[in-house]
Amino acid sequence: MARILKYMDLTYKELSQLPRDKTLLFSVVGPLEVHGPHLPLGTDVMIALEAMKRVEERLAEEKPGLTIVELPPIVLGSDPLPLPGSIEISSKHLSGALYDMAASLAKQGFRALILFDNHGGPRHQLAIYKASRKAWKKHRFCLLDPFITLFKMMVKHHPRLMELTGLPPGRCGDDPDMHAGTNETSLVLASHPDKVRPIYRELKPSRIPPHRGSAKLILRIAGLLDRLGLKEAASDLAHLANTLAWVNTKPITPYLGSPAQATGEAGEKMLKAAVQLTLEAISQVLEGECPLDKPLLSFLSFLA
Ligand SMILES: [Zn+2]
């Protein structure tokens, strides 16, 4: 059985005795953010905590000899929905805080910190990726956020994810279901059913509004890149255009997608897929690798 410990509960002597080559650190990262009238501000953190718990349960069964040390959640995130209630942390500070944590843990001989996350903010993911790359380059410390990969798979309808979850486009956390819609409401129904306000059943679907201003311009550039054969950059930019079309339309609808179609079963499917993909990434980390994946819009990393 793998041991699960909490960093906060240990003394420095107990911490110093943990075998570095058989210890993984875990934490959650994510913002406090408006999630419609039906989900709490801590939705991203709650979902990530549930995914972490499930991964720990699997590792406890499957990896005898492994020690997991949970750090308290890092409740920081960039690019939350810009409405009162959300707490915005600049990507520069997020990236700096995560890198400093990683460097400090690396100095103690630890090798990896796995982050559980449920936030798709563009500069949030760019900031984490930036911190991860620096931590790996400077310290060979693996700061890994597997949600970066999962989110990309959701947005791009990756065949493996669609097969793992059996969820259709429009209900898998892709652009039309980007925020507090079917997928995210389902995830909270599966993980914290008592936290979902019953009004979710009456909420009308919220769709991506017509692209205007910067969203329209970015969508045009995406079309141009697509015609030039730069498919990945084109689809990343189309995602950015969809995001901007939504958040730049005033008043902002505080969710995107259809909460009324959410079910606990759909949430279970997505959680199971998240756990599976995270366990696969952790297996690579235990082999000494660090499977860092570029986030969406990685060519805009200068923005973070
Ligand atoms: Zn969220």
Side-chain angles (χ1 to χ4, degrees), residues 109-128:
F110 291 110
R111 295 180 177 181
L113 168 58
I114 310 298
L115 296 172
F116 293 81
D117 186 0
N118 189 60
H119 182 56
R123 282 175 293 187
H124 178 78
Q125 300 200 338
L126 290 172
I128 294 169

Side-chain angles (χ1 to χ4, degrees), residues 28 35 46 48 56 79 95 98 114 167 173 176 186 188 229 265 274 279:
V28 158
H35 277 81
M46 289 176 196
E56 287 173 351
D79 279 343
S95 165
L98 290 175
I114 310 298
L167 296 172
S186 297
V188 186
E265 295 78 60
L279 285 169

Side-chain angles (χ1 to χ4, degrees), residues 60-131:
E61 279 173 30
E62 295 167 17
K63 300 274 181 205
L66 183 69
T67 298
I68 292 161
V69 182
E70 261 184 38
L71 288 150
I74 304 159
V75 188
L76 302 174
S78 306
D79 279 343
L81 191 59
L83 287 173
S86 296
I87 296 184
E88 163 80 39
I89 302 296
S90 75
S91 54
K92 193 178 104 204
H93 291 138
L94 176 63
S95 165
L98 290 175
Y99 170 75
D100 286 352
M101 268 186 86
S104 181
L105 292 164
K107 263 186 216 152
Q108 300 183 46
F110 291 110
R111 295 180 177 181
L113 168 58
I114 310 298
L115 296 172
F116 293 81
D117 186 0
N118 189 60
H119 182 56
R123 282 175 293 187
H124 178 78
Q125 300 200 338
L126 290 172
I128 294 169
Y129 182 61
K130 191 172 169 184

